[in-house]
Amino acid sequence: MGAAGGDLTTMTAAALAALVADGSASAVEVAQAHLDRVDAVDGSVHAFLHVDADGALAAARAVDDARAAGRPLGPLAGVPLAMKDVVVTAGVPTTAGSKILQGWAPPYDATIATRIKDAGIVMLGKTNMDEFAMGSSTENSAYGPTHNPWDLTRIPGGSGGGSAAALAAFEAPLAIGTDTGGSIRQPAAVTGTVGAKPTYGGVSRYGLVALASSLDQAGPCARTVLDAALLHEVIGGHDPLDSTSIAAPVPAVVAAAREGARGDLRGVRVGVVRELGGEGYQAGVLASFDAAVTTLRGLGAEVVEVSCPNFQYALAAYYLILPSECSSNLAKFDSVRYGLRVGDDGVNSLEDVMSLTREAGFGPEVKRRIMIGTYALSSGYYDAYYGQAQKVRTLIARDFLAAFEAADVLVSPTSPFVAFGIGERVADPMAMYVNDLCTLPASLAGTPAISVPCGLSEGLPVGLQIMAPALADDRCYRVAAAFEAAVAPVLARIPELVR
């Protein structure tokens, strides 16, 4: 990978914000250092689909001007960020990794984009992803795969592999991801970064290109727990433009991260989920997870085993609910209102143009899930498939409620495997889908969860997943920060491997 481009690109977001705030570095210098880093390494990593250098430098100059004028700066002002290309951004291409939206520059901003701009955070550009967030490896992107900075022959996870890879390659200190079934957490696990899925409704979905509306949730990605918490507080909170947005204050995630960093988990009950481990999991992943549980116990946590028997049905339920909802959401891509238009020669009917456009614009995984979902919603099958899957979802939520009677947080590996080789599982959808075994239950229940690095297996990162009850996101951050502080001396060498 070569040496990281200067000290600014290896610093935490919190440290960069402090430099900008006290004038030790300008926001323009910080932005330019990261743009230079992108130029140097992204040809190999392919984390970005679009780099908005002019927009980034203009945003950085606005931060410097605000500081020079004595105006107060936000806690992350001047810090660069990589935005997953599923978040609508005014005037900046938004493709959702699909040819059907190639070249589309939206006329408005998603609420997340607005809040990031208002906070003085500098968006560097849009990151690669599995098409419409359908995938676990970022190989389903219409624009080619992203490579894991730890080993360029391996996947960076998905669907948000571009955001995670940008962090791991020191191209950005912050990123935005979206998590429908694990698309923030699983990429974080296999790239050695931090990714949090907030409580469903805790961060606005207005302006996200929808996949499955009852599951999609945007969240923060970073290299440290505190940085993720700082970004969470910027993007979180009620949004009247999103009917699923929770009208409640953002949990005190930054305070929780700072408290956790002191390393005291006395009084915290940690539940190890029996069903999320064992046969089928890589031995090195389980060894790292067991060591992580020992570390939590050493920090004073009480460790108990909990059983969530319905978690075993999460994969089957998810792959009925998600295709059903995506078959409905993606019907809007009809060649009429925006995006790609194929076959409009004055001879073909509108129906033919729609069909030709979808044939050319959608990739094979998107087509597969649309067909599954359309079938599951069809007359005579709705109750047998989608309806039954929703009942299983309720049982999984009840398992969480019971488990949280015995524990304050639950833990598991984030992914059963470390990063696998690019192309290794493309021809086997089921082998690909099992990457999400550990992350799906929290997505189906709408509960918060975070992945934090917990070690190496075969020289590749392993993630620890920490789950909490709905609206208790702060618990995830407290435990994650305590664990991070305890293992930092062991993992301090990890960044050197990817420079």
Side-chain angles (χ1 to χ4, degrees):
M1 290 290 300
D7 292 339
L8 291 175
T9 61
T10 62
M11 296 177 68
T12 67
L16 287 171
L19 287 182
V20 172
D22 69 15
S24 298
S26 71
V28 168
E29 289 172 330
V30 173
Q32 189 61 61
H34 286 86
L35 290 169
D36 290 345
R37 175 66 175 169
V38 173
D39 284 342
V41 305
D42 205 56
S44 298
V45 177
H46 190 39
F48 284 89
L49 291 178
H50 176 77
V51 177
D52 184 19
D54 291 342
L57 292 172
R61 282 192 292 271
V63 172
D64 290 335
D65 290 346
R67 183 186 178 279
R71 295 195 294 272
L73 300 181
L76 290 174
V79 178
L81 174 141
M83 183 80 81
K84 187 177 181 182
D85 200 28
V86 75
V87 181
V88 167
T89 44
V92 179
T94 300
T95 69
S98 179
K99 291 290 187 186
I100 210 163
L101 280 175
Q102 187 170 16
W104 182 55
Y108 71 102
D109 275 326
T111 295
I112 290 175
T114 298
R115 289 178 177 176
I116 283 169
K117 290 178 180 179
D118 290 347
I121 298 171
V122 176
M123 189 186 79
L124 296 175
K126 309 297 285 295
T127 56
N128 199 15
M129 55 181 285
D130 286 298
E131 185 178 6
F132 288 106
M134 297 187 206
S136 302
S137 65
T138 314
E139 292 171 284
N140 292 329
S141 170
Y143 305 100
T146 295
H147 301 259
N148 192 323
W150 287 78
D151 179 343
L152 294 174
T153 69
R154 295 178 183 262
I155 59 100
S159 63
S163 288
L167 296 170
F170 298 94
E171 295 175 88
L174 296 173
I176 291 294
T178 59
D179 194 307
T180 303
S183 292
I184 288 174
R185 291 162 287 158
Q186 185 254 4
V190 301
T191 60
T193 57
V194 176
K197 183 194 83 70
T199 297
Y200 178 80
V203 174
S204 174
R205 292 190 305 108
Y206 177 76
L208 301 188
V209 180
L211 170 55
S213 299
S214 73
L215 294 162
D216 296 344
Q217 184 58 68
C221 310
R223 289 194 294 264
T224 72
V225 175
L226 176 59
D227 285 356
L230 289 164
L231 182 55
H232 189 147
E233 286 204 345
V234 168
I235 63 175
H238 179 62
D239 177 16
L241 297 176
D242 175 6
S243 63
T244 62
S245 179
I246 297 172
V250 180
V253 293
V254 172
R258 295 190 191 281
E259 178 186 0
R262 293 198 286 267
D264 184 359
L265 291 180
R266 286 175 293 182
V268 176
R269 299 171 299 165
V270 173
V272 176
V273 182
R274 183 186 306 160
E275 288 75 15
L276 298 181
E279 186 177 352
Y281 287 63
Q282 284 182 344
V285 169
L286 293 177
S288 291
F289 174 69
D290 289 343
V293 172
T294 299
T295 297
L296 294 172
R297 187 180 284 112
L299 293 170
E302 175 190 352
V303 177
V304 298
E305 185 180 81
V306 299
S307 178
C308 298
N310 293 294
F311 281 17
Q312 65 181 308
Y313 307 118
L315 185 68
Y318 176 82
Y319 279 103
L320 283 169
I321 294 170
L322 177 139
S324 298
E325 296 187 8
C326 91
S327 74
S328 176
N329 276 324
L330 269 61
K332 69 172 71 73
F333 299 104
D334 56 8
S335 77
V336 175
R337 286 165 283 191
Y338 45 78
L340 187 68
R341 187 176 179 89
V342 174
D344 186 14
D345 56 6
V347 176
N348 288 314
S349 67
L350 177 59
E351 289 77 11
D352 289 338
V353 173
M354 287 183 183
S355 179
L356 290 167
T357 298
R358 289 165 173 165
E359 170 62 28
F362 289 144
E365 183 63 25
V366 172
K367 292 173 183 174
R368 177 186 292 118
R369 297 196 194 190
I370 288 173
M371 287 188 287
I372 292 170
T374 302
Y375 181 82
L377 292 176
S378 61
S379 177
Y381 296 100
Y382 180 95
D383 290 337
Y385 292 110
Y386 186 74
Q388 287 295 102
Q390 292 288 16
K391 291 177 182 178
V392 171
R393 187 178 193 172
T394 299
L395 295 176
I396 290 169
R398 289 176 181 171
D399 277 357
F400 270 113
L401 289 174
F404 287 129
E405 291 292 323
D408 300 305
V409 297
L410 306 181
V411 296
S412 76
T414 307
S415 173
F417 320 104
V418 296
F420 50 86
I422 291 174
E424 191 176 302
R425 301 189 181 187
V426 170
D428 188 347
M430 284 306 299
M432 191 73 77
Y433 295 167
V434 296
N435 289 295
D436 300 329
L437 279 173
C438 300
T439 54
L440 290 175
S443 292
L444 288 166
T447 55
I450 191 169
S451 180
V452 62
C454 70
L456 300 175
S457 173
E458 304 171 17
L460 296 166
V462 177
L464 169 68
Q465 179 178 224
I466 302 160
M467 298 167 276
L471 295 176
D473 305 54
D474 52 323
R475 295 187 196 177
C476 292
Y477 283 95
R478 180 188 171 192
V479 175
F483 178 79
E484 178 184 66
V487 302
V490 176
L491 299 182
R493 61 190 170 87
I494 283 180
E496 300 292 339
L497 299 177
V498 292
R499 288 185 187 174

